[in-house]
Every structure is written in C-alpha cells, then in structure tokens.
Amino acid sequence: IKDAYNEELDHLRALVRGGRDWIATLQREEGQRTGIPNLKVGYNRVFGYYIEVTKSQTHLVPADFERKQTLVNAERYVTPLLKSREEEIVTLSNSLRRATTRLQALNDGARAVGSTLELSEVLNRLVKSTAEAMAVRACSIRLLDKSGQRLEPVAVNGLSQVYLEKGPVDAMSNPLARAGQGVKKRGF
C-alpha cells in the first residue's frame, strides 16, 4: 500500500521507521555514556532487543544494565528504557500489520465490486477478506429472503457443513437483524 493512501497507515509506518532510527541512536549514545567502544544494540526473536557487550568490556557496564543472556564471548543486557521501547515497537508493528490487513481487505472488496465478476463471486471474496481483516476463522454474509422473515446465507468462509445445514436464520430472533430493522425504520 503506497504512502499517502491512508493517514493512519502513514502514521504507523513513520513510528516504526522512527523506532529503527532510535535504536541506532541508542547504540551510539550508550557507547559514549559507558565508554564501551564495541557496544551493540541488537534483536532476536527469542530475547527481543538487547545491548551486547564483549566479556573484556563487562567491567564498564553501568548499574542500570540488567543481564539478560550470557554468550561465549559476550554478555547481553537490557535497560528499562530499552524494554519499554521494545513494547512500543512491537505494539506499533502489530497495529501496522492490522491496519494494512484492513486496508487490503477494503481494497480487495472494492476491486471485486468494480469488476465484471458475478455477484456470488464478489460476495465470496468480500466474506473471505472480511474474515482475514477481523482475524476470525469463519464468517458469513446473510441477506433477508423475499418475505423479509428469514436470513439466507449468500456467502460463507470457513463455516462447517453442520452449521450450514441449519439453514436460514429467523430474522426476528437474530439481534443483528433486529438492529438492522431499527435502522431501516429510521430511514437510513
């Protein structure tokens, strides 16, 4: 998704990019503050973000560094600031991923509607992208039948055959359908 397409997405991207710059700045500043010339800030999936100091330089490590992992030739540490920033980066990355998924689902739906596909194919694509955007395993689109009393499934994604064999849903017993009727009465 291109920059400037969505303001929320652009904001999240800028924060994630800024997080990477922040880590480079932290490495430089901590190296200067501690006098450890080969101090490195790194990341791995198991331990997250860390500050790595070679064993020959561990005597220079300040009291606010908390030991996290011991390696053959180095020690890895974290600081309260690094921990909090890691949480922010992870949260922002997840938000960025969710926003991208939502926008992609909307884009896919818009493309399907604007295409020459049959209505059933448009609805099937829409229900699939909606399930992905909502991060659910299954969902369906149901429309009122001609009598206006029952909701018939018109597109499904991930639903079991047993669920589908239950057939249409009584519109009056479904709270979502009743809510929709209330909106319809108000002229929306």
Side-chain angles (χ1 to χ4, degrees):
I1 299 174
K2 292 181 181 180
D3 286 343
Y5 177 77
N6 180 276
E7 192 175 313
E8 177 189 11
L9 189 60
D10 289 345
H11 176 70
L12 292 170
R13 281 182 179 156
L15 290 173
V16 170
R17 288 177 190 144
R20 292 184 190 120
D21 294 340
W22 182 84
I23 293 200
T25 302
L26 176 70
Q27 181 171 318
R28 185 177 60 256
E29 289 174 354
E30 286 294 332
Q32 290 171 352
R33 178 178 78 95
T34 62
I36 302 172
N38 56 356
L39 176 144
K40 295 178 185 170
V41 176
Y43 174 82
N44 69 36
R45 290 183 188 174
V46 176
F47 292 103
Y49 288 94
Y50 57 84
I51 297 172
E52 186 173 291
V53 179
T54 60
K55 293 239 180 177
S56 64
Q57 302 293 315
T58 55
H59 66 283
L60 297 172
V61 171
D64 64 326
F65 279 34
E66 178 185 324
R67 183 170 308 185
K68 192 170 191 176
Q69 183 183 18
T70 300
L71 304 174
V72 173
N73 294 322
E75 295 285 339
R76 288 184 176 169
Y77 301 89
V78 293
T79 64
L81 179 63
L82 190 58
K83 283 181 187 178
S84 68
R85 190 60 179 203
E86 178 179 2
E87 288 176 21
E88 289 175 18
I89 291 170
V90 169
T91 300
L92 289 171
S93 295
N94 290 338
S95 295
L96 179 61
R97 194 173 301 111
R98 284 191 306 272
T100 302
T101 302
R102 283 193 318 265
L103 288 170
Q104 189 64 48
L106 288 171
N107 186 35
D108 290 348
R111 281 187 180 165
V113 168
S115 72
T116 58
L117 298 173
E118 295 291 323
L119 179 60
S120 62
E121 182 61 26
V122 170
L123 292 173
N124 285 331
R125 287 185 182 191
L126 184 60
V127 76
K128 183 177 182 205
S129 62
T130 300
E132 290 170 1
M134 293 174 56
V136 296
R137 292 184 185 168
C139 70
S140 67
I141 296 175
R142 293 177 178 260
L143 298 177
L144 282 171
D145 65 3
K146 290 180 183 181
S147 71
Q149 301 298 311
R150 301 181 71 68
L151 293 167
E152 298 280 348
V154 293
V156 295
N157 181 64
L159 296 174
S160 69
Q161 192 61 37
V162 172
Y163 179 83
L164 294 173
E165 288 173 359
K166 290 181 180 179
V169 174
D170 179 25
M172 295 304 110
S173 66
N174 185 295
L176 293 174
R178 286 195 311 267
Q181 283 190 341
V183 170
K184 195 175 190 180
K185 287 179 185 176
R186 288 191 297 255
F188 289 100

